[in-house]
Every structure is written in C-alpha cells, then in structure tokens.
Amino acid sequence: MKEYLKYQRKASRIELFIRIIYLIPILLIIHVYTILAGICHLIQWFIVLIFGFRNKYLSKFVQGYVKYIISVLAYSHNLSDERPKILPEPYRIFFEKEE
C-alpha cells in the first residue's frame, strides 16, 4: 500500500487550482461508494451477529473503500500532490480458486 500521509515539503501552486476541479467528480463517486460500503458494512454486521464469521467479499469491498477514502483525503487536505484515480480500483467479486 502506498504511503499517502508521508510528509512532502515540495508543493505545487498550480496543483492547488487543479485540485478544486479534480475533486468534483471524485466527491460524486465517493458519495455512491459510501452508500454501497455502508450497506455492505450493515450486512457484514448481521452476518457476524448471526453466523459468527466475516464474509471475505464484503470485507474486501469495505477495505477498498477505506483505502480509496484515505488517498482522496490526503489529496484534498493538501497532504499530497499525488492525485488519486477518479475511479477506485476495480473490485473483483470472483477470485481464482485458492489452494
């Protein structure tokens, strides 16, 4: 995992203006992603309550959400000039068979 919160002395003034425009589509995507991650989190809570174990796919989905949010927050709070991708990393529901 990248280290998004590592101190960076160098900062770009132009990036400050680009950041405002760049974050608009990201915030729309985060809104939808937050709703989906919240639903997954709620389902996961019931699975743990009823069955006593966690669902791997729900955990991975919420974990992807948290990683994406951290990268966006580092960029939006001027901690990093590294732009996060507009769309989060694709989440694969089907995995190769584990041996």
Side-chain angles (χ1 to χ4, degrees):
M1 187 170 115
K2 292 182 181 179
E3 192 170 328
Y4 293 103
L5 302 178
K6 185 177 180 181
Y7 174 73
Q8 298 175 357
R9 180 173 170 82
K10 185 179 177 192
S12 170
R13 292 181 182 113
I14 295 171
E15 189 66 34
L16 282 175
F17 296 108
I18 294 171
R19 190 178 315 252
I20 295 168
I21 304 301
Y22 190 77
L23 285 173
I24 292 171
I26 290 178
L27 292 176
L28 295 172
I29 290 168
I30 283 178
H31 183 69
V32 173
Y33 204 0
T34 300
I35 292 169
L36 293 174
I39 292 169
C40 289
H41 183 76
L42 184 64
I43 293 169
Q44 183 81 291
W45 188 86
F46 281 110
I47 289 174
V48 171
L49 179 67
I50 296 168
F51 300 110
F53 64 87
R54 291 179 186 88
N55 181 287
K56 177 181 178 180
Y57 305 113
L58 293 173
S59 291
K60 291 285 186 182
F61 187 83
V62 174
Q63 183 182 38
Y65 167 75
V66 171
K67 287 180 182 180
Y68 183 64
I69 288 293
I70 288 172
S71 69
V72 171
L73 286 175
Y75 182 73
S76 67
H77 287 75
N78 295 317
L79 298 175
S80 172
D81 280 343
E82 185 176 336
R83 290 185 199 147
K85 295 181 180 177
I86 290 182
L87 294 174
E89 294 292 323
Y91 177 73
R92 293 184 3 235
I93 293 176
F94 301 101
F95 296 92
E96 287 81 28
K97 186 175 180 180
E98 294 181 12
E99 297 180 31

